[in-house]
């Protein structure tokens, strides 16, 4: 049962990450009216990647604690 919950959470996070990445790459203007350039898109993708890596790090820490 625990494996199913982890799998579901990982699937949701992966899906949200893919959707947000596509939105960042497709939108010509963000919500504040700033015209997106490739530099600003890459910066936004970098910030998204940092949050995903933090999520993965916390998840791996929780798994290690639960195993011991």
């Amino acid at each position: 049962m625990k494996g199913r919950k982890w799998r579901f959470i990982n699937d949701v996070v992966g899906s949200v990450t893919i959707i947000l990445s596509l939105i960042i790459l497709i939108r010509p203007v963000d919500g504040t009216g700033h015209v997106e350039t490739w530099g600003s898109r890459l910066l936004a993708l970098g910030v998204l990647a940092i949050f995903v890596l933090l999520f993965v790090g916390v998840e791996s820490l929780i798994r290690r604690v639960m195993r011991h």
Side-chain angles (χ1 to χ4, degrees), residues 12-40:
V12 169
V13 170
S15 299
V16 169
T17 302
I18 290 171
I19 291 169
L20 287 175
S21 298
L22 290 174
I23 289 171
I24 289 170
L25 290 173
I26 292 173
R27 66 182 181 182
V29 178
D30 69 1
T32 63
H34 175 265
V35 177
E36 292 287 332
T37 62
W38 278 106
S40 61

Side-chain angles (χ1 to χ4, degrees), residues 6 55-67:
W6 283 107
F55 181 83
V56 169
V58 169
E59 182 179 308
S60 66
L61 180 67
I62 291 172
R63 281 188 176 202
R64 287 181 186 171
V65 168
M66 288 178 62
R67 285 185 184 169

Side-chain angles (χ1 to χ4, degrees), residues 1 5 9 11 13 27 29-31 40 46 48 50 52 60 68:
M1 188 64 175
K5 291 179 184 177
I9 291 170
D11 289 344
V13 170
R27 66 182 181 182
V29 178
D30 69 1
S40 61
L48 179 62
I50 289 171
V52 169
S60 66
H68 289 99

